[in-house]
Amino acid sequence: MTQAAVNARGVAFMLGAMAAFATSDFLVKLATRLMPVSEIMALRGLIAVSMIGAVLARGGYGSAGAALRSPMAVLRGVIESGVSLTIMAGLSSLPLGDCAAIPQAAPLLITLYMVATRAESFDPVRMAMIVVGFVGVAMVARPSGAFQPATLLLIAAAFLIAARDLVTRRIPRHVSSLAATLVTTMGTTVLGASLSSVQPWILPDARGFLLLGAAAAAVTLGNLCAIAAFREAEPSVVAPFRYTIVVYALLIGFVVWGDLPDPIAGLGIALIVGAGVVSILREKVRARVEKVAQIQP
């Protein structure tokens, strides 16, 4: 399989991951009205760990042991726990669209890192598309009114997401994506349980448990897709498609609350989608070029 084909499959995984993460964020935002963030992290994590463990049990827990022995898989879990904490804390006080958009500085940070370390060659067009997408995100999440300190949490999340995705690519191939997801979820659960131990717990009602169960399923699916995307494809290719979570979040906001973006936010969405379309077209061109090169003697 050519690199272009691998990248295309990675893009598909990333699109699925962002849809799942946007759904989980929506459910978590609803849950923050019922219980503290730390409790949500702990309970959602326990449910997700149970789901993943049930699947792993069918094939034995050998792969889980391999993930726990992998420093990169464990490090990903530690970083992911920070991502979950910062984003959930933001969801409790900021609009869903902002919480989806602000962390999308991560793809630009990844590309800058890859180019700075010479892991990938400098590609002006690719860099331009990422910058265009970042500008679109900034337009969607532009500050309005008084500055809200919770925004700093989402900026921190962007750096953590970039670090997490770079670590994901270094997880050994013998560690399955499902096992890596289990370790990641365990990290978030442990952090949530630790933080919630210093404050009173609020016993969720049936609605609360339903929200947490659905959020656990969504975030598990998102992690699986995201891990598969970054393990197979070039980080700077799949990373720009994280921007689609902004589109998903805005669609959810419209369907649930009737929110519509103003003209500036609408232009930002157009830039995000446009950058993604151009990236897809460029990957198709690369696929044709590689195919021709293979045919020629």
Side-chain angles (χ1 to χ4, degrees):
M1 183 178 295
T2 65
Q3 185 60 51
V6 170
N7 286 341
R9 188 165 65 178
V11 167
F13 277 124
M14 184 56 66
L15 291 173
M18 292 305 101
F21 285 141
T23 300
S24 178
D25 286 348
F26 162 64
L27 296 170
V28 166
K29 185 171 181 61
L30 295 179
T32 58
R33 302 174 182 176
L34 306 175
M35 66 197 81
V37 168
S38 58
E39 188 174 335
I40 294 173
M41 290 178 64
L43 292 178
R44 187 190 71 169
L46 285 173
I47 297 172
V49 167
S50 300
M51 291 178 176
I52 300 169
V55 176
L56 284 174
R58 301 182 63 179
Y61 289 103
S63 57
L68 288 169
R69 291 189 297 270
S70 169
M72 290 296 104
V74 173
L75 178 58
R76 187 188 192 279
V78 172
I79 297 173
E80 176 62 25
S81 65
V83 173
S84 296
L85 177 61
T86 51
I87 291 182
M88 284 188 188
L91 284 168
S92 66
S93 58
L94 294 174
L96 184 63
D98 286 3
C99 294
I102 295 174
Q104 300 317 307
L108 179 58
L109 296 173
I110 290 173
T111 300
L112 291 176
Y113 172 82
M114 298 297 286
V115 173
T117 57
R118 298 184 179 181
E120 294 184 6
S121 60
F122 179 80
D123 184 339
V125 177
R126 179 184 293 174
M127 182 72 73
M129 289 303 100
I130 292 177
V131 172
V132 168
F134 180 72
V135 170
V137 168
M139 294 174 69
V140 173
R142 69 195 185 285
S144 59
F147 174 75
Q148 300 188 58
T151 301
L152 296 176
L153 293 172
L154 300 179
I155 294 173
F159 282 90
L160 289 170
I161 289 170
R164 180 199 65 190
D165 292 343
L166 288 170
V167 167
T168 298
R169 191 165 175 81
R170 302 184 67 178
I171 296 176
R173 285 286 178 179
H174 69 272
V175 177
S176 69
S177 295
L178 188 61
T181 300
L182 175 64
V183 173
T184 294
T185 307
M186 290 172 63
T188 300
T189 306
V190 169
L191 178 59
S194 300
L195 294 175
S196 62
S197 65
V198 299
Q199 62 186 51
W201 274 56
I202 300 176
L203 182 64
D205 56 15
R207 178 171 178 264
F209 276 115
L210 180 61
L211 288 174
L212 292 173
V219 78
T220 299
L221 177 61
N223 275 315
L224 279 170
C225 291
I227 290 173
F230 278 98
R231 291 182 72 177
E232 293 194 14
E234 299 172 69
S236 58
V237 172
V238 298
F241 288 90
R242 281 198 175 280
Y243 294 136
T244 57
I245 194 174
V246 181
V247 179
Y248 293 137
L250 290 172
L251 285 174
I252 292 173
F254 171 71
V255 172
V256 177
W257 295 291
D259 295 336
L260 283 173
D262 58 30
I264 294 179
L267 178 57
I269 294 172
L271 291 177
I272 295 167
V273 175
V277 170
V278 172
S279 297
I280 293 174
L281 293 176
R282 290 192 72 243
E283 286 308 306
K284 290 184 177 180
V285 172
R286 286 181 60 185
R288 287 198 295 267
V289 171
E290 289 183 2
K291 185 175 181 179
V292 171
Q294 290 177 349
I295 295 176
Q296 292 178 348

